[in-house]
Amino acid sequence: MESHVQMRKIALMICINILTIIIISSCGSEKAISPEQLLNRAKSMAEDDPQGALLTIDSLHELYPREIRSRRMADTIEWQIEYNEAIKNLPVLDSIISNDSLRLAELVKNFNYSKDEEYQDYGNYEHKRFRTENNTWRCYLKSTVNDMGDVVLISYYSGKKEEHNGFTVMAGEYERSIRDAENVSGFMDGGTYREFITVNDSLENGMIGFITSSDGGIVVRLNGEKEHEYTMGSNDIEAFRETMELAKLLQEINLYKMQIRKFRSKIELLGTRLGKQDD
């Protein structure tokens, strides 16, 4: 959205510069582009070239700030363009969300979902491969994702008491580290020390992306006074890939839902300004 606004500003400056040259060169011959001409141009472009019409309206505002009547009429044209665009985009977004929801229904079959309605705003998906009750005997790294697509990594250690403060994931000559983690908890369970290191992660540049982009042979090293290493199995790596796919899908769905809410709000606002009646 920001890039679209920036591109419109750049295009506006180019358009203004061209129109300014035309106006200056035409002053002596009374052929300068008037506010009415810009307004008529915007009207004629509104249906077939809405972006061009918006740029023309922007030019009118910039070049003729005191032409209140023309600018108000231009605002009405702009509202109509934005209203039409919102109306046109709603079914497109609805279709995308419908298709994404079908993909989501298939993907979540490999996950368990949990949510505490009293304390949690969002529920969490955990891959069935990583269920704690099925993995109490081993050291492993797992990932969870919430309803908004936010990812959390959890390092689970089981063994002799070795207090760790972070972990490093190594793939060949490359590695990615989490050091001095703030969320670390450990306790003795009979004669076994169990430890959890929990960190928030990023899909773009985070640990989960590093793991899923590897072809295999991933080694995890727990950092602390005593280090502990283990190798991630192919099933764990595949579970990470499915978690990342789920996270991206949830983020996309939430983004489109947010855009739909914005479009609906815009339709309601502009519809009131334009005097449109509800169907």
Side-chain angles (χ1 to χ4, degrees):
M1 185 64 69
E2 291 181 359
S3 62
H4 172 74
V5 173
Q6 187 65 26
M7 289 176 64
R8 181 173 170 181
K9 288 181 179 178
I10 294 172
L12 170 61
M13 292 308 300
I14 295 173
C15 185
I16 289 174
N17 289 337
I18 294 173
L19 290 173
T20 302
I21 293 171
I22 294 173
I23 290 171
I24 292 172
S25 63
S26 305
C27 284
S29 59
E30 298 183 353
K31 292 182 179 179
I33 295 180
S34 67
E36 290 75 16
Q37 287 175 310
L38 288 172
L39 188 62
N40 289 332
R41 179 181 295 178
K43 287 180 181 178
S44 64
M45 299 171 67
E47 184 173 348
D48 297 327
D49 185 12
Q51 293 306 313
L54 291 175
L55 287 174
T56 302
I57 291 169
D58 289 341
S59 298
L60 192 157
H61 288 313
E62 290 289 334
L63 293 172
Y64 298 100
R66 297 183 180 180
E67 295 289 337
I68 304 302
R69 179 177 176 276
S70 295
R71 293 182 63 197
R72 285 178 176 173
M73 295 175 68
D75 284 340
T76 301
I77 297 173
E78 182 171 351
W79 296 341
Q80 186 65 59
I81 290 173
E82 293 181 352
Y83 180 88
N84 292 342
E85 288 296 303
I87 290 291
K88 182 174 67 177
N89 283 321
L90 272 181
V92 176
L93 292 177
D94 282 334
S95 177
I96 293 174
I97 290 178
S98 178
N99 290 332
D100 282 353
S101 296
L102 292 176
R103 288 175 53 205
L104 180 65
E106 285 298 314
L107 192 56
V108 297
K109 291 179 181 179
N110 290 331
F111 291 79
N112 292 311
Y113 181 78
S114 62
K115 181 180 179 182
D116 189 320
E117 296 292 343
E118 185 174 354
Y119 297 104
Q120 290 181 298
D121 293 327
Y122 306 115
N124 287 289
Y125 294 90
E126 180 182 71
H127 199 283
K128 293 178 180 179
R129 168 74 182 172
F130 295 140
R131 293 191 66 173
T132 302
E133 54 267 36
N134 297 334
N135 293 280
T136 56
W137 53 271
R138 70 183 183 114
C139 302
Y140 68 107
L141 190 63
K142 73 176 182 178
S143 53
T144 64
V145 57
N146 70 10
D147 289 319
M148 299 302 294
D150 301 319
V151 178
V152 170
L153 292 181
I154 303 172
S155 167
Y156 177 74
Y157 169 81
S158 176
K160 297 180 180 179
K161 188 170 183 179
E162 297 179 1
E163 296 180 348
H164 306 105
N165 54 29
F167 55 89
T168 299
V169 174
M170 297 168 285
E173 59 183 298
Y174 302 101
E175 64 180 45
R176 186 74 55 93
S177 295
I178 301 292
R179 300 190 180 278
D180 300 320
E182 296 182 359
N183 193 348
V184 181
S185 60
F187 59 93
M188 293 301 300
D189 180 13
T192 302
Y193 181 70
R194 306 195 187 280
E195 177 187 76
F196 299 88
I197 302 175
T198 304
V199 295
N200 296 324
D201 197 37
S202 164
L203 289 185
E204 298 300 325
N205 301 307
M207 189 73 78
I208 189 171
F210 180 75
I211 292 171
T212 56
S213 64
S214 172
D215 293 330
I218 293 179
V219 176
V220 179
R221 181 176 65 228
L222 301 178
N223 304 317
E225 291 186 6
K226 293 183 178 180
E227 295 182 343
H228 180 85
E229 289 189 2
Y230 61 88
T231 300
M232 288 186 67
S234 58
N235 289 335
D236 283 359
I237 296 173
E238 181 59 29
F240 263 78
R241 291 196 176 103
E242 291 182 6
T243 301
M244 188 172 188
E245 181 182 357
L246 175 61
K248 287 183 175 179
L249 186 59
L250 288 168
Q251 288 184 3
E252 180 176 295
I253 290 174
N254 281 289
L255 174 62
Y256 289 142
K257 284 183 177 179
M258 181 178 66
Q259 290 177 335
I260 284 177
R261 289 193 295 270
K262 288 183 178 179
F263 279 134
R264 285 176 176 164
S265 295
K266 179 174 287 189
I267 289 169
E268 182 178 358
L269 173 63
L270 296 180
T272 300
R273 289 179 178 176
L274 294 167
K276 295 184 179 295
Q277 300 295 322
D278 294 335
D279 294 333

mmCIF file with all atom_site columns, all heavy atoms in Angstrom, residues 169-176 210-211 213-219:
data_model
loop_
_atom_site.group_PDB
_atom_site.id
_atom_site.type_symbol
_atom_site.label_atom_id
_atom_site.label_alt_id
_atom_site.label_comp_id
_atom_site.label_asym_id
_atom_site.label_entity_id
_atom_site.label_seq_id
_atom_site.pdbx_PDB_ins_code
_atom_site.Cartn_x
_atom_site.Cartn_y
_atom_site.Cartn_z
_atom_site.occupancy
_atom_site.B_iso_or_equiv
_atom_site.pdbx_formal_charge
_atom_site.auth_seq_id
_atom_site.auth_comp_id
_atom_site.auth_asym_id
_atom_site.auth_atom_id
_atom_site.pdbx_PDB_model_num
ATOM 1   N N   . VAL A 1 169 ? 21.376 -23.187 15.284 1.00 0.00 ? 169 VAL A N   1
ATOM 2   C CA  . VAL A 1 169 ? 21.006 -24.150 14.249 1.00 0.00 ? 169 VAL A CA  1
ATOM 3   C C   . VAL A 1 169 ? 22.052 -24.080 13.150 1.00 0.00 ? 169 VAL A C   1
ATOM 4   O O   . VAL A 1 169 ? 22.347 -23.004 12.626 1.00 0.00 ? 169 VAL A O   1
ATOM 5   C CB  . VAL A 1 169 ? 19.601 -23.849 13.678 1.00 0.00 ? 169 VAL A CB  1
ATOM 6   C CG1 . VAL A 1 169 ? 19.277 -24.771 12.506 1.00 0.00 ? 169 VAL A CG1 1
ATOM 7   C CG2 . VAL A 1 169 ? 18.545 -24.006 14.769 1.00 0.00 ? 169 VAL A CG2 1
ATOM 8   N N   . MET A 1 170 ? 22.614 -25.230 12.801 1.00 0.00 ? 170 MET A N   1
ATOM 9   C CA  . MET A 1 170 ? 23.704 -25.280 11.819 1.00 0.00 ? 170 MET A CA  1
ATOM 10  C C   . MET A 1 170 ? 23.291 -26.138 10.636 1.00 0.00 ? 170 MET A C   1
ATOM 11  O O   . MET A 1 170 ? 22.761 -27.243 10.806 1.00 0.00 ? 170 MET A O   1
ATOM 12  C CB  . MET A 1 170 ? 24.969 -25.850 12.468 1.00 0.00 ? 170 MET A CB  1
ATOM 13  C CG  . MET A 1 170 ? 25.502 -24.985 13.610 1.00 0.00 ? 170 MET A CG  1
ATOM 14  S SD  . MET A 1 170 ? 26.778 -25.819 14.609 1.00 0.00 ? 170 MET A SD  1
ATOM 15  C CE  . MET A 1 170 ? 25.749 -26.941 15.558 1.00 0.00 ? 170 MET A CE  1
ATOM 16  N N   . ALA A 1 171 ? 23.546 -25.611 9.426  1.00 0.00 ? 171 ALA A N   1
ATOM 17  C CA  . ALA A 1 171 ? 23.288 -26.345 8.183  1.00 0.00 ? 171 ALA A CA  1
ATOM 18  C C   . ALA A 1 171 ? 24.518 -26.173 7.301  1.00 0.00 ? 171 ALA A C   1
ATOM 19  O O   . ALA A 1 171 ? 24.699 -25.130 6.687  1.00 0.00 ? 171 ALA A O   1
ATOM 20  C CB  . ALA A 1 171 ? 22.046 -25.828 7.491  1.00 0.00 ? 171 ALA A CB  1
ATOM 21  N N   . GLY A 1 172 ? 25.368 -27.188 7.290  1.00 0.00 ? 172 GLY A N   1
ATOM 22  C CA  . GLY A 1 172 ? 26.621 -27.075 6.541  1.00 0.00 ? 172 GLY A CA  1
ATOM 23  C C   . GLY A 1 172 ? 27.505 -26.006 7.154  1.00 0.00 ? 172 GLY A C   1
ATOM 24  O O   . GLY A 1 172 ? 27.753 -25.986 8.361  1.00 0.00 ? 172 GLY A O   1
ATOM 25  N N   . GLU A 1 173 ? 27.957 -25.062 6.343  1.00 0.00 ? 173 GLU A N   1
ATOM 26  C CA  . GLU A 1 173 ? 28.830 -23.995 6.822  1.00 0.00 ? 173 GLU A CA  1
ATOM 27  C C   . GLU A 1 173 ? 28.048 -22.798 7.360  1.00 0.00 ? 173 GLU A C   1
ATOM 28  O O   . GLU A 1 173 ? 28.639 -21.831 7.843  1.00 0.00 ? 173 GLU A O   1
ATOM 29  C CB  . GLU A 1 173 ? 29.750 -23.523 5.690  1.00 0.00 ? 173 GLU A CB  1
ATOM 30  C CG  . GLU A 1 173 ? 29.001 -22.997 4.469  1.00 0.00 ? 173 GLU A CG  1
ATOM 31  C CD  . GLU A 1 173 ? 29.938 -22.614 3.351  1.00 0.00 ? 173 GLU A CD  1
ATOM 32  O OE1 . GLU A 1 173 ? 30.751 -21.706 3.562  1.00 0.00 ? 173 GLU A OE1 1
ATOM 33  O OE2 . GLU A 1 173 ? 29.858 -23.239 2.272  1.00 0.00 ? 173 GLU A OE2 1
ATOM 34  N N   . TYR A 1 174 ? 26.725 -22.861 7.286  1.00 0.00 ? 174 TYR A N   1
ATOM 35  C CA  . TYR A 1 174 ? 25.907 -21.743 7.725  1.00 0.00 ? 174 TYR A CA  1
ATOM 36  C C   . TYR A 1 174 ? 25.258 -22.050 9.068  1.00 0.00 ? 174 TYR A C   1
ATOM 37  O O   . TYR A 1 174 ? 25.005 -23.212 9.414  1.00 0.00 ? 174 TYR A O   1
ATOM 38  C CB  . TYR A 1 174 ? 24.815 -21.442 6.690  1.00 0.00 ? 174 TYR A CB  1
ATOM 39  C CG  . TYR A 1 174 ? 25.358 -21.134 5.327  1.00 0.00 ? 174 TYR A CG  1
ATOM 40  C CD1 . TYR A 1 174 ? 25.353 -22.113 4.325  1.00 0.00 ? 174 TYR A CD1 1
ATOM 41  C CD2 . TYR A 1 174 ? 25.884 -19.882 5.033  1.00 0.00 ? 174 TYR A CD2 1
ATOM 42  C CE1 . TYR A 1 174 ? 25.858 -21.834 3.066  1.00 0.00 ? 174 TYR A CE1 1
ATOM 43  C CE2 . TYR A 1 174 ? 26.396 -19.602 3.781  1.00 0.00 ? 174 TYR A CE2 1
ATOM 44  C CZ  . TYR A 1 174 ? 26.380 -20.584 2.790  1.00 0.00 ? 174 TYR A CZ  1
ATOM 45  O OH  . TYR A 1 174 ? 26.885 -20.313 1.551  1.00 0.00 ? 174 TYR A OH  1
ATOM 46  N N   . GLU A 1 175 ? 24.998 -20.984 9.834  1.00 0.00 ? 175 GLU A N   1
ATOM 47  C CA  . GLU A 1 175 ? 24.340 -21.173 11.114 1.00 0.00 ? 175 GLU A CA  1
ATOM 48  C C   . GLU A 1 175 ? 23.549 -19.930 11.487 1.00 0.00 ? 175 GLU A C   1
ATOM 49  O O   . GLU A 1 175 ? 23.787 -18.825 10.990 1.00 0.00 ? 175 GLU A O   1
ATOM 50  C CB  . GLU A 1 175 ? 25.349 -21.497 12.211 1.00 0.00 ? 175 GLU A CB  1
ATOM 51  C CG  . GLU A 1 175 ? 26.352 -20.401 12.511 1.00 0.00 ? 175 GLU A CG  1
ATOM 52  C CD  . GLU A 1 175 ? 27.325 -20.803 13.620 1.00 0.00 ? 175 GLU A CD  1
ATOM 53  O OE1 . GLU A 1 175 ? 27.834 -21.947 13.578 1.00 0.00 ? 175 GLU A OE1 1
ATOM 54  O OE2 . GLU A 1 175 ? 27.545 -19.967 14.520 1.00 0.00 ? 175 GLU A OE2 1
ATOM 55  N N   . ARG A 1 176 ? 22.588 -20.132 12.365 1.00 0.00 ? 176 ARG A N   1
ATOM 56  C CA  . ARG A 1 176 ? 21.754 -19.056 12.877 1.00 0.00 ? 176 ARG A CA  1
ATOM 57  C C   . ARG A 1 176 ? 21.580 -19.294 14.375 1.00 0.00 ? 176 ARG A C   1
ATOM 58  O O   . ARG A 1 176 ? 21.279 -20.419 14.788 1.00 0.00 ? 176 ARG A O   1
ATOM 59  C CB  . ARG A 1 176 ? 20.400 -19.059 12.155 1.00 0.00 ? 176 ARG A CB  1
ATOM 60  C CG  . ARG A 1 176 ? 19.451 -17.917 12.476 1.00 0.00 ? 176 ARG A CG  1
ATOM 61  C CD  . ARG A 1 176 ? 19.846 -16.601 11.868 1.00 0.00 ? 176 ARG A CD  1
ATOM 62  N NE  . ARG A 1 176 ? 20.031 -16.624 10.438 1.00 0.00 ? 176 ARG A NE  1
ATOM 63  C CZ  . ARG A 1 176 ? 19.096 -16.338 9.556  1.00 0.00 ? 176 ARG A CZ  1
ATOM 64  N NH1 . ARG A 1 176 ? 17.866 -16.081 9.955  1.00 0.00 ? 176 ARG A NH1 1
ATOM 65  N NH2 . ARG A 1 176 ? 19.388 -16.291 8.267  1.00 0.00 ? 176 ARG A NH2 1
ATOM 66  N N   . PHE A 1 210 ? 15.278 -20.304 7.994  1.00 0.00 ? 210 PHE A N   1
ATOM 67  C CA  . PHE A 1 210 ? 16.597 -20.908 7.833  1.00 0.00 ? 210 PHE A CA  1
ATOM 68  C C   . PHE A 1 210 ? 16.491 -22.427 7.796  1.00 0.00 ? 210 PHE A C   1
ATOM 69  O O   . PHE A 1 210 ? 17.117 -23.094 6.972  1.00 0.00 ? 210 PHE A O   1
ATOM 70  C CB  . PHE A 1 210 ? 17.499 -20.456 8.983  1.00 0.00 ? 210 PHE A CB  1
ATOM 71  C CG  . PHE A 1 210 ? 18.894 -21.012 8.942  1.00 0.00 ? 210 PHE A CG  1
ATOM 72  C CD1 . PHE A 1 210 ? 19.832 -20.517 8.045  1.00 0.00 ? 210 PHE A CD1 1
ATOM 73  C CD2 . PHE A 1 210 ? 19.273 -22.039 9.787  1.00 0.00 ? 210 PHE A CD2 1
ATOM 74  C CE1 . PHE A 1 210 ? 21.125 -21.023 8.010  1.00 0.00 ? 210 PHE A CE1 1
ATOM 75  C CE2 . PHE A 1 210 ? 20.552 -22.558 9.762  1.00 0.00 ? 210 PHE A CE2 1
ATOM 76  C CZ  . PHE A 1 210 ? 21.479 -22.047 8.860  1.00 0.00 ? 210 PHE A CZ  1
ATOM 77  N N   . ILE A 1 211 ? 15.670 -22.979 8.680  1.00 0.00 ? 211 ILE A N   1
ATOM 78  C CA  . ILE A 1 211 ? 15.513 -24.434 8.755  1.00 0.00 ? 211 ILE A CA  1
ATOM 79  C C   . ILE A 1 211 ? 14.815 -24.973 7.514  1.00 0.00 ? 211 ILE A C   1
ATOM 80  O O   . ILE A 1 211 ? 15.249 -25.953 6.907  1.00 0.00 ? 211 ILE A O   1
ATOM 81  C CB  . ILE A 1 211 ? 14.726 -24.823 10.026 1.00 0.00 ? 211 ILE A CB  1
ATOM 82  C CG1 . ILE A 1 211 ? 15.562 -24.512 11.276 1.00 0.00 ? 211 ILE A CG1 1
ATOM 83  C CG2 . ILE A 1 211 ? 14.339 -26.301 10.002 1.00 0.00 ? 211 ILE A CG2 1
ATOM 84  C CD1 . ILE A 1 211 ? 14.804 -24.661 12.571 1.00 0.00 ? 211 ILE A CD1 1
ATOM 85  N N   . SER A 1 213 ? 14.629 -23.779 4.569  1.00 0.00 ? 213 SER A N   1
ATOM 86  C CA  . SER A 1 213 ? 15.370 -23.594 3.315  1.00 0.00 ? 213 SER A CA  1
ATOM 87  C C   . SER A 1 213 ? 16.529 -24.565 3.181  1.00 0.00 ? 213 SER A C   1
ATOM 88  O O   . SER A 1 213 ? 17.166 -24.637 2.130  1.00 0.00 ? 213 SER A O   1
ATOM 89  C CB  . SER A 1 213 ? 15.896 -22.156 3.217  1.00 0.00 ? 213 SER A CB  1
ATOM 90  O OG  . SER A 1 213 ? 16.834 -21.887 4.249  1.00 0.00 ? 213 SER A OG  1
ATOM 91  N N   . SER A 1 214 ? 16.792 -25.333 4.223  1.00 0.00 ? 214 SER A N   1
ATOM 92  C CA  . SER A 1 214 ? 17.898 -26.291 4.190  1.00 0.00 ? 214 SER A CA  1
ATOM 93  C C   . SER A 1 214 ? 17.465 -27.593 3.523  1.00 0.00 ? 214 SER A C   1
ATOM 94  O O   . SER A 1 214 ? 16.303 -28.000 3.592  1.00 0.00 ? 214 SER A O   1
ATOM 95  C CB  . SER A 1 214 ? 18.385 -26.582 5.607  1.00 0.00 ? 214 SER A CB  1
ATOM 96  O OG  . SER A 1 214 ? 19.327 -27.629 5.611  1.00 0.00 ? 214 SER A OG  1
ATOM 97  N N   . ASP A 1 215 ? 18.415 -28.253 2.883  1.00 0.00 ? 215 ASP A N   1
ATOM 98  C CA  . ASP A 1 215 ? 18.144 -29.540 2.235  1.00 0.00 ? 215 ASP A CA  1
ATOM 99  C C   . ASP A 1 215 ? 18.277 -30.717 3.209  1.00 0.00 ? 215 ASP A C   1
ATOM 100 O O   . ASP A 1 215 ? 18.053 -31.863 2.831  1.00 0.00 ? 215 ASP A O   1
ATOM 101 C CB  . ASP A 1 215 ? 19.107 -29.757 1.060  1.00 0.00 ? 215 ASP A CB  1
ATOM 102 C CG  . ASP A 1 215 ? 18.866 -28.770 -0.063 1.00 0.00 ? 215 ASP A CG  1
ATOM 103 O OD1 . ASP A 1 215 ? 17.711 -28.343 -0.220 1.00 0.00 ? 215 ASP A OD1 1
ATOM 104 O OD2 . ASP A 1 215 ? 19.824 -28.415 -0.762 1.00 0.00 ? 215 ASP A OD2 1
ATOM 105 N N   . GLY A 1 216 ? 18.627 -30.432 4.441  1.00 0.00 ? 216 GLY A N   1
ATOM 106 C CA  . GLY A 1 216 ? 18.782 -31.500 5.425  1.00 0.00 ? 216 GLY A CA  1
ATOM 107 C C   . GLY A 1 216 ? 20.105 -31.382 6.164  1.00 0.00 ? 216 GLY A C   1
ATOM 108 O O   . GLY A 1 216 ? 20.867 -30.432 5.982  1.00 0.00 ? 216 GLY A O   1
ATOM 109 N N   . GLY A 1 217 ? 20.387 -32.363 7.021  1.00 0.00 ? 217 GLY A N   1
ATOM 110 C CA  . GLY A 1 217 ? 21.636 -32.346 7.767  1.00 0.00 ? 217 GLY A CA  1
ATOM 111 C C   . GLY A 1 217 ? 21.722 -31.197 8.746  1.00 0.00 ? 217 GLY A C   1
ATOM 112 O O   . GLY A 1 217 ? 22.782 -30.584 8.899  1.00 0.00 ? 217 GLY A O   1
ATOM 113 N N   . ILE A 1 218 ? 20.618 -30.894 9.423  1.00 0.00 ? 218 ILE A N   1
ATOM 114 C CA  . ILE A 1 218 ? 20.592 -29.774 10.368 1.00 0.00 ? 218 ILE A CA  1
ATOM 115 C C   . ILE A 1 218 ? 20.975 -30.253 11.760 1.00 0.00 ? 218 ILE A C   1
ATOM 116 O O   . ILE A 1 218 ? 20.432 -31.229 12.272 1.00 0.00 ? 218 ILE A O   1
ATOM 117 C CB  . ILE A 1 218 ? 19.199 -29.122 10.395 1.00 0.00 ? 218 ILE A CB  1
ATOM 118 C CG1 . ILE A 1 218 ? 18.921 -28.449 9.055  1.00 0.00 ? 218 ILE A CG1 1
ATOM 119 C CG2 . ILE A 1 218 ? 19.093 -28.120 11.531 1.00 0.00 ? 218 ILE A CG2 1
ATOM 120 C CD1 . ILE A 1 218 ? 17.570 -27.804 8.980  1.00 0.00 ? 218 ILE A CD1 1
ATOM 121 N N   . VAL A 1 219 ? 21.916 -29.526 12.360 1.00 0.00 ? 219 VAL A N   1
ATOM 122 C CA  . VAL A 1 219 ? 22.365 -29.824 13.719 1.00 0.00 ? 219 VAL A CA  1
ATOM 123 C C   . VAL A 1 219 ? 21.954 -28.680 14.627 1.00 0.00 ? 219 VAL A C   1
ATOM 124 O O   . VAL A 1 219 ? 22.124 -27.507 14.281 1.00 0.00 ? 219 VAL A O   1
ATOM 125 C CB  . VAL A 1 219 ? 23.896 -30.017 13.785 1.00 0.00 ? 219 VAL A CB  1
ATOM 126 C CG1 . VAL A 1 219 ? 24.358 -30.222 15.222 1.00 0.00 ? 219 VAL A CG1 1
ATOM 127 C CG2 . VAL A 1 219 ? 24.315 -31.203 12.914 1.00 0.00 ? 219 VAL A CG2 1
#
